[in-house]
Amino acid sequence: MKKTKYSVLLPTYNERENLPLIVWLIVKYFEESNLTYEIIVIDDGSPDGTLEVAQQLEKIYGSDKIVLKPRPKKLGLGTAYVHGMNHATGDYIIIMDADLSHHPKFIPSFIKTLHDGNFDIVSGTRYSGDGGVYGWDLKRKFISRTANYIAQILLRPGASDLTGSFRLYKKEVLQHLVECCVSKGYVFQMEMLVRARHLGYSVGEVPISFVDRVYGESKLGGSEILAYLKGLLQLFATT
């Protein structure tokens, strides 16, 4: 009987300091849980040498555990997930940030919740149960809360954290959702859950602690906020 396998997609851009630690933590929790896994690193031409670090990690852990699928330049978060998914060999796919804001210690809870509840998707939530956000200033917290609140009012997604990006999908569900989604960047995450509700997929939630990045700079800027608002209105008009 074939053992269930999990593919972790890690899109990276200038994450050379964070990548070794996040990979070590992912390996640790999978090994402790005796689960079969692979970590797919999708680097978008990082000028800081992230890909070179990933190549060293591949030598340490093996090419069966660390799968490198780089791209020549920044092409968007949504397309990075599609690129990674196309190379994934797992039955389930985990998407998460590589900057240590998503702690891999929650992965076993995601997996247990998905199987116990027979969910199609499990999403990490900062806004339910004992979930929370740590390390953000008041402005960033306000932006995130407001973005999530507006999305809840307009889209009624049936999930408490629409803008998060720490999730576990059945592979065939993710493939179907990707085919239906048109957004790119940060809006991609939001559209995935909205489309999931409309397509009748079930979504479970696990409260998570979101911690601001330790190394490097946040990639959320004014252009991303404007793109989010534009994407939100497009979703409201088409769903």
Side-chain angles (χ1 to χ4, degrees), residues 31-49:
E31 294 288 347
E32 287 180 355
S33 301
N34 194 29
L35 296 168
T36 303
Y37 66 94
E38 64 182 357
I39 303 168
I40 302 176
V41 180
I42 308 109
D43 186 66
D44 272 5
S46 298
D48 74 337

